[in-house]
Amino acid sequence: MLAPGADRDGFDRPKPTAVPPNDSLRWTESIRRMVGTEVVVGAVLAASGALTAFLATFGWRRRGAVGAEWFAATMACNTVWIAADLAGLAVEMRWGQVAIEYVTTLAATVVPVCWFGFVLVYTGRDHRLDARGLALLVAIPAVVVAAILTSSVHDLYFVEMTFTAGSTGPAVEATPGPLAWLNLAYFVVLLAVGLWLVAGMAWDHDRLYASQAVWLLVGTLAPVALLAARLVGAAPESVPIISMGFSLLGVAYAHGLFSHRLLDLSPAPRRIGIPEAFDDLGEGVVVVDTARTVVAINDPACRLFDCEKAAVLGSPLARVSSALADVDPESGGGSDTRGDGTAVGPRNGSTDVSVDGRTLAVSVSAVRDARERRTGCVLVVRDVTADRRRQERLDVLNRVFRHNIRNTMNAVVGPTDMLVDRLEGNDRELAETARDASERVLDLSEEVREIERMMTGPVEVRPVAVADAVADALASVGEDVAFDAETTIPDDLTLSTDPRILAVVLGHVVENAAHHAETERPTVEITAERRAGACLVHVTDEGPGIPDSELAALREGTETQLAHGSGVGLWAIHWGVTRLAGAVRFRRVDGGTRVTLWLPPLDGEGDGPDVGGTDRGPDRTGDSASLDRTGDSASIEGHWLGRDPTTTAGSDAG
């Protein structure tokens, strides 16, 4: 409604009076200052509008990024607000100024909502914007927008509008009503919560998003500071100072976009991904504090222990399972007694517990704060019933093979050897066949025992002279088969590794080369060299090569009826070099086969990589041009089983 005494066009103007001649210069200077102010303000608003319009377009084109749609909406509303204030500099009519006041007020109502929605989505809290959350977010703004659009029939938002001539031209001064103050309070709440969420990015997530947080804060606080100046009367009402502040917002946000990957690197994936991964893990996870109270539990753990998450959170650990409560939180060890719901002892860094006829492996990790104080622990639980039963079967079969069959075959070898001495002709040949077969079974049993000791014993590292290790392998194999050996190994070539495992690997490589040659007295060529801190051993034979089916079994890590080996020698080589953190390659060369061992130095004592599961590794390829030399024997390119030396050695060399 108009203020009393306003002219026809709605503006309060002083009554015309005669201007003394000596005051005309002051009037002229005042008009010039007003025109100059309009030009400056108009230029700033035009630049701000162009920048926010560009950011809105950019955000919309990147709307697949986290928060980009809300970002685009915020920038678009800012652009509308700026455009309205820019138009207000040129419009003098009362109805035009009223329309501009309505547009800017509507924009001022919508912008905080869009900005807060952007902050929620960007920081990974978009689950708050479900149907119910979105309705709560827009409830007050919706009422305010309706009140603004119908303000001609009530005084809920605008109590009074006064039209004045400001420093930049005609302007509207509105007296706020109760809904205007409610809208301001709601804006303050959204701003405070949003700034707190953005500020949290600076110190959460290992400070990964600190730079994004800084520029979001700078850009947001710039127009907010100008709004505060307006509210306390430090800025003139006639100057659209908030819209001018959007220029600082646009610059800060643009810097964050193009210099700090604002839309490309957001905390949402990390914040959302960690809880989802927590529940999607194949293992059960239970987090307890120092009082053994459950503070977090994932869905797999609830399924393992048949409990409801809401029922056990905040309860003692025994509420989940008495077996977990018996696990030692310091070491993960438990009692050695068996029984339903009791710990049955530690195994490979974890504790096996029996629950409802199942075997569960429990490992414990301490949770510490920034001052290294223990605040609780995490229990990771995995159902290993099938693994343990499989291991039990393997243990029994291994015992039967190593002891029962060995003892039986020993009983066969003696009598058949006597029969060979007593019989003649075809009968003697049959006895020799039976004796040789029995001895091969005994040799295979001994190989299995040797491999078992290699894989189950600790890795004991010490310096090994490679030439001596090769000489020992040649002497051992030479006791059973006649062959010639040609070696080219530097006398000073040493390697920090486990000599026992290395002996097994070299023995099987040399034995394979000597036994499978197609000449009467084969020649085995062995060379060794140091490469980027590691050792390469090349063993070349005169054999027909290793069948593809056997190599396929090694690459896949399992044997089938179609892809299987003829013995355990190749597996022993593969498992051994893997235990030594190395790799092996099989390659056809002119007149034979070359086996290359890549053996890196081991830094100290340890168990070495486990040969099961992922360590068997698929067939790998790589290229390390910096390590290549002329000739195949010097190249480490090709297909490797185990670690990839083309990557590891290349990084070491570089």
Side-chain angles (χ1 to χ4, degrees):
M1 52 188 67
L2 292 176
D7 289 344
R8 285 184 309 169
D9 57 1
F11 292 98
D12 294 328
R13 292 188 175 88
K15 298 299 181 181
T17 57
V19 180
N22 58 350
D23 291 339
S24 60
L25 292 178
R26 288 199 297 270
W27 278 92
T28 302
E29 183 65 23
S30 176
I31 293 173
R32 287 177 179 175
R33 285 199 301 269
M34 184 177 69
V35 173
T37 301
E38 286 186 2
V39 172
V40 172
V41 171
V44 173
L45 290 179
S48 300
L51 182 55
T52 55
F54 167 76
L55 293 178
T57 303
F58 182 84
W60 180 251
R61 289 179 177 176
R62 296 290 305 278
R63 56 186 177 274
V66 176
E69 293 181 347
W70 286 96
F71 178 84
T74 304
M75 294 299 104
C77 291
N78 285 342
T79 303
V80 172
W81 189 342
I82 295 170
D85 281 335
L86 183 61
L89 299 178
V91 175
E92 296 187 1
M93 299 303 295
R94 171 181 173 277
W95 64 267
Q97 287 293 325
V98 171
I100 290 172
E101 179 69 15
Y102 273 55
V103 172
T104 56
T105 305
L106 289 171
T109 302
V110 176
V111 164
V113 176
C114 294
W115 176 82
F116 189 72
F118 163 69
V119 170
L120 287 180
V121 175
Y122 188 76
T123 58
R125 296 172 172 85
D126 57 335
H127 62 283
R128 302 290 185 185
L129 292 176
D130 55 7
R132 182 171 176 269
L134 189 61
L136 291 175
L137 177 64
V138 302
I140 292 179
V143 173
V144 170
V145 168
I148 294 172
L149 295 177
T150 60
S151 60
S152 60
V153 297
H154 58 75
D155 297 335
L156 293 176
Y157 198 92
F158 297 119
V159 174
E160 184 180 41
M161 283 188 179
T162 303
F163 302 91
T164 62
S167 59
T168 59
V172 176
E173 292 184 0
T175 302
L179 280 182
W181 292 110
L182 175 63
N183 193 29
L184 178 62
Y186 187 62
F187 161 73
V188 171
V189 171
L190 293 182
L191 178 68
V193 176
L195 290 177
W196 177 75
L197 295 178
V198 173
M201 294 166 48
W203 56 76
D204 288 345
H205 311 295
D206 302 322
R207 301 183 181 274
L208 178 62
Y209 312 102
S211 57
Q212 290 91 332
V214 168
W215 290 107
L216 282 175
L217 289 173
V218 170
T220 304
L221 289 174
V224 172
L226 296 177
L227 172 61
R230 166 70 60 80
L231 293 177
V232 299
E237 289 281 346
S238 59
V239 177
I241 194 168
I242 300 176
S243 293
M244 296 175 67
F246 288 145
S247 61
L248 300 176
L249 178 146
V251 170
Y253 279 17
H255 183 72
L257 277 174
F258 300 110
S259 298
H260 299 282
R261 299 188 296 165
L262 183 64
L263 292 181
D264 296 324
L265 186 63
S266 75
R270 181 164 175 171
R271 181 179 180 84
I272 297 172
I274 291 177
E276 288 190 355
F278 182 69
D279 279 330
D280 291 342
L281 285 173
E283 290 84 10
V285 180
V286 183
V287 184
V288 298
D289 59 17
T290 53
R292 309 281 276 175
T293 299
V294 179
V295 296
I297 183 171
N298 67 351
D299 293 339
C302 291
R303 291 193 293 269
L304 282 173
F305 297 104
D306 192 22
C307 61
E308 294 291 336
K309 187 178 295 188
V312 298
L313 287 175
S315 302
L317 182 58
R319 180 77 176 271
V320 177
S321 170
S322 59
L324 289 184
D326 291 338
V327 175
D328 184 359
E330 298 294 333
S331 63
S335 64
D336 294 328
T337 59
R338 287 189 174 271
D340 189 40
T342 60
V344 297
R347 184 187 183 103
N348 296 330
S350 65
T351 300
D352 281 2
V353 298
S354 178
V355 177
D356 297 331
R358 297 168 299 156
T359 302
L360 307 178
V362 183
S363 59
V364 183
S365 302
V367 177
R368 301 184 184 278
D369 61 15
R371 298 173 60 183
E372 291 299 317
R373 295 175 301 184
R374 189 184 183 99
T375 59
C377 62
V378 179
L379 297 95
V380 180
V381 188
R382 184 165 59 96
D383 190 341
V384 295
T385 305
D387 294 341
R388 297 296 182 256
R389 290 175 179 171
R390 186 182 304 110
Q391 186 60 47
E392 288 176 356
R393 292 194 297 268
L394 291 175
D395 291 342
V396 171
L397 294 175
N398 185 39
R399 176 184 57 80
V400 170
F401 182 76
R402 288 192 298 110
H403 296 284
N404 299 49
I405 294 181
R406 180 180 178 83
N407 293 337
T408 301
M409 296 312 298
N410 275 327
V412 173
V413 170
T416 54
D417 193 38
M418 295 174 62
L419 288 174
V420 169
D421 295 335
R422 296 179 181 181
L423 298 176
E424 296 180 357
N426 292 335
D427 292 338
R428 180 186 179 90
E429 292 179 2
L430 292 174
E432 287 177 346
T433 302
R435 181 193 62 187
D436 294 343
S438 302
E439 289 177 346
R440 284 196 298 271
V441 173
L442 287 174
D443 292 341
L444 182 60
S445 175
E446 185 59 35
E447 283 188 52
V448 171
R449 295 180 65 181
E450 184 181 59
I451 294 173
E452 182 185 23
R453 288 193 297 266
M454 176 185 72
M455 300 310 301
T456 58
V459 177
E460 299 177 351
V461 179
R462 64 172 181 265
V464 177
V466 177
D468 293 343
V470 171
D472 292 341
L474 292 173
S476 176
V477 177
E479 295 177 357
D480 299 324
V481 60
F483 67 97
D484 295 324
E486 297 179 359
T487 61
T488 305
I489 303 173
D491 293 335
D492 60 347
L493 181 57
T494 60
L495 178 67
S496 295
T497 190
D498 187 314
R500 177 176 52 86
I501 299 177
L502 180 61
V504 174
V505 172
L506 289 175
H508 280 283
V509 173
V510 174
E511 181 182 17
N512 189 71
H515 272 289
H516 295 88
E518 295 181 326
T519 58
E520 184 175 348
R521 186 176 179 88
T523 298
V524 177
E525 179 185 349
I526 303 177
T527 62
E529 59 180 317
R530 185 175 301 281
R531 185 73 61 84
C535 178
L536 284 177
V537 179
H538 310 279
V539 181
T540 307
D541 62 30
E542 300 173 346
I546 301 173
D548 292 339
S549 60
E550 296 195 28
L551 292 179
L554 291 177
R555 285 193 294 265
E556 297 300 326
T558 184
E559 293 193 351
T560 65
Q561 292 183 352
L562 297 179
H564 59 81
S566 57
V568 295
L570 294 180
W571 285 108
I573 297 170
H574 176 33
W575 290 337
V577 294
T578 305
R579 193 90 199 278
L580 296 177
V584 60
R585 180 188 62 193
F586 303 94
R587 175 179 289 182
R588 290 286 299 161
V589 295
D590 292 339
T593 303
R594 175 170 297 146
V595 178
T596 300
L597 306 177
W598 177 74
L599 303 169
L602 301 180
D603 295 332
E605 294 187 2
D607 290 336
D610 183 41
V611 299
T614 58
D615 262 338
R616 64 176 180 261
D619 189 28
R620 296 183 174 93
T621 61
D623 179 68
S624 183
S626 63
L627 295 177
D628 286 343
R629 300 176 185 170
T630 304
D632 177 75
S633 64
S635 173
I636 62 171
E637 293 182 353
H639 301 275
W640 292 88
L641 297 170
R643 293 177 65 190
D644 189 349
T646 61
T647 301
T648 308
S651 62
D652 292 343

